[in-house]
Amino acid sequence: GQPVLSVRDLRVEFVTRRGILKAIDGVSFHIDRGEVLGVVGESGAGKSVTGSAVIGLIDPPGRIAGGEILLNGKRIDNLPPEEMRRIRGKRIGMIFQDPLTSLNPLYTVGEQLVETIRTHTSLSASGARKRAIDLLAEVGIPAPERRIDSYPHEFSGGMRQRVVIALALCAEPELIIADEPTTALDVSVQAQIIFLLKKLGREHGTAIMLVTHDMGVIAETADRVAVMYAGRVAEIGPVREVVQQPLHPYAQGLMGAIPSLHGDAQRLAQIPGSMPRLSAIPPGCSFNPRCPFAFDRCRTERPEAVSRGKHPVACHLYDPVPAAAEAHA
Ligand code: SF4
Ligand code: MG
């Protein structure tokens, strides 16, 4: 069937006094029903900006400069803000790093769940409360009939993120965007939240875009993974292939630095050098200053994604015929 989410050649720019910065420069991917797509890369790679574009929250001076975003086959990147607001929360759920950004400290979790459920369904107040209790039970909150009347601050960080997941599920969204959903949590509860998200996605048929800098989280959760670098997708494919046999030199660096869910997430920094600033993206392959395999072509010609028998990878090592030579052949 058609994917829940299709992103095609997405371009996002930020207009600054020093010129136009290309934050996302031609990103394409899709996510199917019940599938988890992990979007991974170092900070600044454009993971969160991609997520924000999907939910229509690129604020000026940012703007979508090209491409298409389709939700179940219908474009959503060109909708009026009012219509996009209805899609957020209803058809697209969101889970952010800090659960407190999604919860209002002044209301009990029950009040927030009931209000959200009633916004999106025709359930009565008592029906919505019953549904809220069921959802809290489903996300693993113990004694939900009692905890439903607690305030957000009365929950631990992990339990609070479970409440946020329940809140995201209220409207039975087609897509959930989870941006670093476990980064702020104790390492001991990160795995539980990740497995919960994956399980619920499967059971509800929800497509999940899981944005994280943590390869360990991706390896344990995602069905497919998109590795982003400097606003582009370097490599995208089934998690087993990309994690066990990464093709792109950057992905190889990342995978060589897989932290376990119970380990040290800072090990990504093992790749020497750092992501270029948007104002200083090098010509050719943006990874070339850090790449141990870089050759002449890498410094002048930007690699496009190719798949030679395997999943797509944007690296000249896998595309031996220069485009110029092809054109003149
Ligand atoms: Fe390295 Fe060149 Fe491939 Fe870029 S295109 S990753 S610089 S080999
Ligand atoms: Mg981010």
Side-chain angles (χ1 to χ4, degrees), residues 248-249 285 287-288 291 293-295 298 303 314-317:
H248 195 284
C285 174
F287 187 58
N288 87 70
C291 182
F293 306 107
F295 52 105
C298 303
C315 170
H316 292 315
L317 292 174

PDB file of all heavy atoms in Angstrom, residues 248-249 285 287-288 291 293-295 298 303 314-317, ligand 1:
ATOM      1  N   HIS A 248      28.177   3.841   3.658  1.00  0.00           N
ATOM      2  CA  HIS A 248      28.718   5.199   3.643  1.00  0.00           C
ATOM      3  C   HIS A 248      29.810   5.342   4.713  1.00  0.00           C
ATOM      4  O   HIS A 248      29.615   4.914   5.846  1.00  0.00           O
ATOM      5  CB  HIS A 248      27.589   6.190   3.903  1.00  0.00           C
ATOM      6  CG  HIS A 248      27.934   7.605   3.576  1.00  0.00           C
ATOM      7  ND1 HIS A 248      28.733   8.375   4.397  1.00  0.00           N
ATOM      8  CD2 HIS A 248      27.610   8.387   2.513  1.00  0.00           C
ATOM      9  CE1 HIS A 248      28.870   9.571   3.851  1.00  0.00           C
ATOM     10  NE2 HIS A 248      28.202   9.607   2.703  1.00  0.00           N
ATOM     11  N   PRO A 249      30.939   5.955   4.353  1.00  0.00           N
ATOM     12  CA  PRO A 249      32.012   6.107   5.345  1.00  0.00           C
ATOM     13  C   PRO A 249      31.559   6.787   6.637  1.00  0.00           C
ATOM     14  O   PRO A 249      32.026   6.428   7.726  1.00  0.00           O
ATOM     15  CB  PRO A 249      33.052   6.957   4.606  1.00  0.00           C
ATOM     16  CG  PRO A 249      32.854   6.597   3.169  1.00  0.00           C
ATOM     17  CD  PRO A 249      31.365   6.401   3.012  1.00  0.00           C
ATOM     18  N   CYS A 285      31.210  16.470  -1.731  1.00  0.00           N
ATOM     19  CA  CYS A 285      30.602  15.715  -0.631  1.00  0.00           C
ATOM     20  C   CYS A 285      30.849  16.470   0.664  1.00  0.00           C
ATOM     21  O   CYS A 285      32.003  16.746   1.010  1.00  0.00           O
ATOM     22  CB  CYS A 285      31.206  14.317  -0.546  1.00  0.00           C
ATOM     23  SG  CYS A 285      30.624  13.397   0.884  1.00  0.00           S
ATOM     24  N   PHE A 287      30.924  15.565   3.528  1.00  0.00           N
ATOM     25  CA  PHE A 287      31.689  14.792   4.519  1.00  0.00           C
ATOM     26  C   PHE A 287      33.178  14.742   4.157  1.00  0.00           C
ATOM     27  O   PHE A 287      33.980  14.242   4.939  1.00  0.00           O
ATOM     28  CB  PHE A 287      31.098  13.374   4.606  1.00  0.00           C
ATOM     29  CG  PHE A 287      31.677  12.518   5.709  1.00  0.00           C
ATOM     30  CD1 PHE A 287      31.624  12.923   7.035  1.00  0.00           C
ATOM     31  CD2 PHE A 287      32.260  11.299   5.423  1.00  0.00           C
ATOM     32  CE1 PHE A 287      32.145  12.136   8.051  1.00  0.00           C
ATOM     33  CE2 PHE A 287      32.786  10.493   6.428  1.00  0.00           C
ATOM     34  CZ  PHE A 287      32.730  10.912   7.748  1.00  0.00           C
ATOM     35  N   ASN A 288      33.556  15.288   3.008  1.00  0.00           N
ATOM     36  CA  ASN A 288      34.923  15.033   2.521  1.00  0.00           C
ATOM     37  C   ASN A 288      36.061  15.450   3.459  1.00  0.00           C
ATOM     38  O   ASN A 288      37.060  14.751   3.536  1.00  0.00           O
ATOM     39  CB  ASN A 288      35.096  15.525   1.063  1.00  0.00           C
ATOM     40  CG  ASN A 288      35.481  16.985   0.939  1.00  0.00           C
ATOM     41  OD1 ASN A 288      36.595  17.376   1.277  1.00  0.00           O
ATOM     42  ND2 ASN A 288      34.558  17.796   0.435  1.00  0.00           N
ATOM     43  N   CYS A 291      36.452  12.504   5.755  1.00  0.00           N
ATOM     44  CA  CYS A 291      36.356  11.152   5.222  1.00  0.00           C
ATOM     45  C   CYS A 291      37.733  10.560   4.928  1.00  0.00           C
ATOM     46  O   CYS A 291      38.515  11.150   4.181  1.00  0.00           O
ATOM     47  CB  CYS A 291      35.524  11.156   3.940  1.00  0.00           C
ATOM     48  SG  CYS A 291      35.324   9.499   3.244  1.00  0.00           S
ATOM     49  N   PHE A 293      38.387   8.190   3.024  1.00  0.00           N
ATOM     50  CA  PHE A 293      38.456   7.665   1.655  1.00  0.00           C
ATOM     51  C   PHE A 293      38.319   8.751   0.601  1.00  0.00           C
ATOM     52  O   PHE A 293      38.212   8.442  -0.586  1.00  0.00           O
ATOM     53  CB  PHE A 293      37.346   6.628   1.438  1.00  0.00           C
ATOM     54  CG  PHE A 293      37.337   5.539   2.456  1.00  0.00           C
ATOM     55  CD1 PHE A 293      36.348   5.488   3.434  1.00  0.00           C
ATOM     56  CD2 PHE A 293      38.325   4.560   2.455  1.00  0.00           C
ATOM     57  CE1 PHE A 293      36.341   4.486   4.392  1.00  0.00           C
ATOM     58  CE2 PHE A 293      38.325   3.556   3.407  1.00  0.00           C
ATOM     59  CZ  PHE A 293      37.330   3.515   4.380  1.00  0.00           C
ATOM     60  N   ALA A 294      38.277  10.013   1.022  1.00  0.00           N
ATOM     61  CA  ALA A 294      38.003  11.095   0.073  1.00  0.00           C
ATOM     62  C   ALA A 294      39.021  11.115  -1.063  1.00  0.00           C
ATOM     63  O   ALA A 294      40.216  10.905  -0.845  1.00  0.00           O
ATOM     64  CB  ALA A 294      38.001  12.430   0.803  1.00  0.00           C
ATOM     65  N   PHE A 295      38.537  11.329  -2.283  1.00  0.00           N
ATOM     66  CA  PHE A 295      39.432  11.494  -3.433  1.00  0.00           C
ATOM     67  C   PHE A 295      38.992  12.740  -4.203  1.00  0.00           C
ATOM     68  O   PHE A 295      38.048  13.424  -3.789  1.00  0.00           O
ATOM     69  CB  PHE A 295      39.464  10.227  -4.299  1.00  0.00           C
ATOM     70  CG  PHE A 295      38.118   9.705  -4.724  1.00  0.00           C
ATOM     71  CD1 PHE A 295      37.674   9.888  -6.038  1.00  0.00           C
ATOM     72  CD2 PHE A 295      37.281   9.014  -3.844  1.00  0.00           C
ATOM     73  CE1 PHE A 295      36.443   9.399  -6.454  1.00  0.00           C
ATOM     74  CE2 PHE A 295      36.048   8.534  -4.249  1.00  0.00           C
ATOM     75  CZ  PHE A 295      35.624   8.726  -5.551  1.00  0.00           C
ATOM     76  N   CYS A 298      35.406  13.850  -4.788  1.00  0.00           N
ATOM     77  CA  CYS A 298      34.634  14.143  -3.575  1.00  0.00           C
ATOM     78  C   CYS A 298      34.674  15.627  -3.231  1.00  0.00           C
ATOM     79  O   CYS A 298      33.810  16.130  -2.533  1.00  0.00           O
ATOM     80  CB  CYS A 298      35.181  13.350  -2.399  1.00  0.00           C
ATOM     81  SG  CYS A 298      35.200  11.572  -2.695  1.00  0.00           S
ATOM     82  N   PRO A 303      27.774  13.863  -4.240  1.00  0.00           N
ATOM     83  CA  PRO A 303      27.247  12.523  -4.547  1.00  0.00           C
ATOM     84  C   PRO A 303      25.727  12.465  -4.394  1.00  0.00           C
ATOM     85  O   PRO A 303      25.179  12.979  -3.427  1.00  0.00           O
ATOM     86  CB  PRO A 303      27.933  11.629  -3.512  1.00  0.00           C
ATOM     87  CG  PRO A 303      28.283  12.538  -2.377  1.00  0.00           C
ATOM     88  CD  PRO A 303      28.488  13.910  -2.959  1.00  0.00           C
ATOM     89  N   ALA A 314      24.672   7.736  -0.657  1.00  0.00           N
ATOM     90  CA  ALA A 314      25.159   8.897  -1.408  1.00  0.00           C
ATOM     91  C   ALA A 314      26.663   9.034  -1.206  1.00  0.00           C
ATOM     92  O   ALA A 314      27.129   9.759  -0.326  1.00  0.00           O
ATOM     93  CB  ALA A 314      24.430  10.165  -0.948  1.00  0.00           C
ATOM     94  N   CYS A 315      27.427   8.290  -1.993  1.00  0.00           N
ATOM     95  CA  CYS A 315      28.880   8.293  -1.861  1.00  0.00           C
ATOM     96  C   CYS A 315      29.493   7.862  -3.187  1.00  0.00           C
ATOM     97  O   CYS A 315      29.065   6.872  -3.775  1.00  0.00           O
ATOM     98  CB  CYS A 315      29.309   7.339  -0.742  1.00  0.00           C
ATOM     99  SG  CYS A 315      31.085   7.041  -0.692  1.00  0.00           S
ATOM    100  N   HIS A 316      30.499   8.606  -3.638  1.00  0.00           N
ATOM    101  CA  HIS A 316      31.129   8.312  -4.934  1.00  0.00           C
ATOM    102  C   HIS A 316      31.782   6.942  -4.978  1.00  0.00           C
ATOM    103  O   HIS A 316      31.978   6.384  -6.054  1.00  0.00           O
ATOM    104  CB  HIS A 316      32.176   9.383  -5.264  1.00  0.00           C
ATOM    105  CG  HIS A 316      31.581  10.725  -5.542  1.00  0.00           C
ATOM    106  ND1 HIS A 316      30.486  10.894  -6.350  1.00  0.00           N
ATOM    107  CD2 HIS A 316      31.920  11.970  -5.113  1.00  0.00           C
ATOM    108  CE1 HIS A 316      30.176  12.179  -6.416  1.00  0.00           C
ATOM    109  NE2 HIS A 316      31.031  12.856  -5.666  1.00  0.00           N
ATOM    110  N   LEU A 317      32.123   6.377  -3.827  1.00  0.00           N
ATOM    111  CA  LEU A 317      32.741   5.049  -3.823  1.00  0.00           C
ATOM    112  C   LEU A 317      31.817   4.005  -4.454  1.00  0.00           C
ATOM    113  O   LEU A 317      32.274   2.993  -4.965  1.00  0.00           O
ATOM    114  CB  LEU A 317      33.046   4.605  -2.387  1.00  0.00           C
ATOM    115  CG  LEU A 317      34.132   5.369  -1.619  1.00  0.00           C
ATOM    116  CD1 LEU A 317      34.170   4.884  -0.177  1.00  0.00           C
ATOM    117  CD2 LEU A 317      35.479   5.203  -2.294  1.00  0.00           C
TER     118      LEU A 317
HETATM  119 FE1  SF4 B   1      33.953   9.974   1.433  1.00  0.00          FE
HETATM  120 FE2  SF4 B   1      33.913  10.746  -1.086  1.00  0.00          FE
HETATM  121 FE3  SF4 B   1      32.108   9.005  -0.217  1.00  0.00          FE
HETATM  122 FE4  SF4 B   1      31.993  11.554   0.531  1.00  0.00          FE
HETATM  123  S1  SF4 B   1      31.723  10.769  -1.525  1.00  0.00           S
HETATM  124  S2  SF4 B   1      31.763   9.796   1.826  1.00  0.00           S
HETATM  125  S3  SF4 B   1      34.171  12.056   0.713  1.00  0.00           S
HETATM  126  S4  SF4 B   1      34.322   8.699  -0.362  1.00  0.00           S
END
